[in-house]
């Protein structure tokens, strides 16, 4: 919805497409099939520190996790928990479930169920017992939210999705100016959400086929502290939170200088 609103301003021509999972997002970014990719900060750490890709640029935050563990968890059973890939949010989910399930954690059955919309469908049809969902899926009627990812011990702050690109693309003539226009329109779209709550709720309902109550729940969820960022500046505490999750899962220390973080160009 937000990207469509940016495109409607007609200052930047956007060709928006969705991916089946984070692995495809990695491939599109590194291979040049996409110029700007919205993916988790944890996945960016994987690209930089596991793949050793020096061409990565991370330019601005999109949201602070905005994910809820949804479904049901029966520690006495062997819950089927859906993930996209082994990286990204799966690292944080493993940490969260270790804390919630304790000795029952080894009984978790991990299911690679694809992107959020696919996991939502699997949760509704009973193929999964629990998974992480973001709005609008997490706010649909019939979905039980167990806990928010960010703010739940031991994950007190978390950087979720970021905008990433190839440094070589940004260095090309005219691309920095193009990105600056995109960023300006992106912030304007986010600002409009606050300026017109009633209109925004109606737009959310129409865009995603939601009831008014569901759309109200989506709006409230995206305005929470772990919701849409509303700024081009990173929250150091949120970056550190995701980095701690990454290091705990991989044993790889994150360098203090973070060479992949770039200041977004401004008009």
């Amino acid at each position: 919805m937000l990207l469509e609103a940016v495109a409607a301003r007609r200052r930047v021509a956007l060709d928006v497409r969705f991916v089946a999972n984070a692995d495809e997002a990695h491939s599109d970014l590194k291979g040049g099939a996409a110029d700007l990719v919205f993916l988790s900060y944890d996945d960016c750490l994987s690209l930089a520190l596991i793949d050793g890709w020096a061409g990565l640029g991370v330019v601005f935050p999109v949201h602070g996790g905005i994910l809820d563990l949804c479904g049901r968890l029966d520690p006495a059973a062997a819950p089927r928990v859906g993930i996209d890939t082994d990286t990204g949010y799966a690292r944080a989910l493993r940490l969260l479930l270790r804390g919630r399930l304790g000795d029952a954690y080894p009984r978790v059955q991990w299911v690679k169920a694809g992107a959020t919309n696919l996991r939502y469908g699997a949760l509704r049809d009973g193929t999964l017992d629990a998974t992480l969902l973001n709005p609008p899926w997490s706010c649909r009627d019939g979905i039980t939210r167990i806990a928010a990812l960010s703010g739940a011990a031991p994950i007190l702050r978390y950087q979720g999705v970021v905008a990433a690109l190839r440094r070589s693309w940004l260095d090309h003539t005219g691309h920095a100016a193009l990105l600056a226009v995109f960023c300006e329109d992106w912030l304007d779209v986010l600002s409009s959400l606050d300026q017109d709550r009633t209109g925004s709720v109606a737009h959310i309902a129409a865009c995603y086929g939601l009831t008014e109550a569901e759309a109200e729940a989506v709006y409230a969820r995206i305005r929470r502290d772990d919701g849409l960022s509303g700024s081009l500046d990173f929250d150091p505490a949120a970056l550190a939170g995701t980095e701690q999750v990454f290091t705990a899962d991989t044993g790889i220390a994150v360098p203090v200088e973070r060479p992949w973080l770039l200041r977004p160009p401004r008009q």
Side-chain angles (χ1 to χ4, degrees):
M1 185 191 81
L2 300 174
L3 290 171
E4 286 178 358
V6 171
R9 281 157 170 73
R10 299 186 182 278
R11 298 208 302 162
V12 180
L14 298 184
D15 178 14
V16 180
R17 74 178 188 87
F18 298 90
V19 294
N21 54 44
D23 289 337
E24 187 177 351
H26 290 196
S27 177
D28 284 356
L29 181 58
K30 293 176 72 175
D35 300 317
L36 191 67
V37 176
F38 282 17
L39 77 168
S40 76
Y41 182 55
D42 185 285
D43 276 302
C44 291
L45 295 174
S46 295
L47 288 169
L49 300 176
I50 296 179
D51 294 357
W53 184 40
L56 172 68
V58 178
V59 287
F60 64 86
V62 175
H63 63 64
I66 202 170
L67 289 156
D68 294 291
L69 177 61
C70 298
R72 59 182 178 83
L73 286 173
D74 181 1
R80 299 159 298 174
V81 178
I83 56 175
D84 180 359
T85 63
D86 289 324
T87 62
Y89 300 133
R91 299 192 205 280
L93 180 55
R94 289 193 289 267
L95 194 61
L96 179 64
L97 289 184
R98 283 192 192 101
R100 293 189 69 91
L101 296 178
D103 292 341
Y105 175 77
R107 291 198 287 271
V108 171
Q109 301 178 67
W110 297 102
V111 180
K112 289 187 177 179
T116 309
N117 60 315
L118 302 177
R119 299 197 308 276
Y120 165 79
L123 190 63
R124 291 300 299 261
D125 67 21
T127 307
L128 295 176
D129 296 311
T131 190
L132 288 173
L133 296 178
N134 57 271
W137 315 107
S138 58
C139 299
R140 287 183 178 268
D141 289 342
I143 294 297
T144 300
R145 295 194 293 275
I146 301 170
L149 177 64
S150 180
I155 307 168
L156 301 182
R157 298 295 295 275
Y158 193 80
Q159 177 58 61
V161 165
V162 298
L165 47 70
R166 299 181 311 284
R167 287 174 176 266
S168 59
W169 178 87
L170 189 60
D171 290 340
H172 193 278
T173 303
H175 286 177
L178 185 66
L179 180 61
V181 173
F182 175 89
C183 289
E184 186 176 89
D185 286 353
W186 174 257
L187 290 179
D188 186 54
V189 166
L190 294 180
S191 177
S192 70
L193 290 174
D194 288 328
Q195 294 169 3
D196 182 10
R197 179 187 179 111
T198 300
S200 295
V201 169
H203 192 182
I204 290 169
C207 185
Y208 296 108
L210 306 178
T211 65
E212 183 178 352
E214 289 174 327
E216 284 279 5
V218 170
Y219 184 89
R221 187 66 186 85
I222 63 178
R223 305 318 296 158
R224 284 173 53 176
D225 288 345
D226 62 344
L228 293 172
S229 297
S231 169
L232 299 181
D233 299 321
F234 285 100
D235 175 358
L239 291 174
T242 303
E243 290 163 356
Q244 289 165 6
V245 171
F246 176 84
T247 297
D249 190 72
T250 65
I252 300 172
V254 178
V256 175
E257 64 272 16
R258 299 178 179 127
W260 49 85
L261 289 188
L262 306 177
R263 291 189 65 84
R266 301 175 191 258
Q267 291 262 72

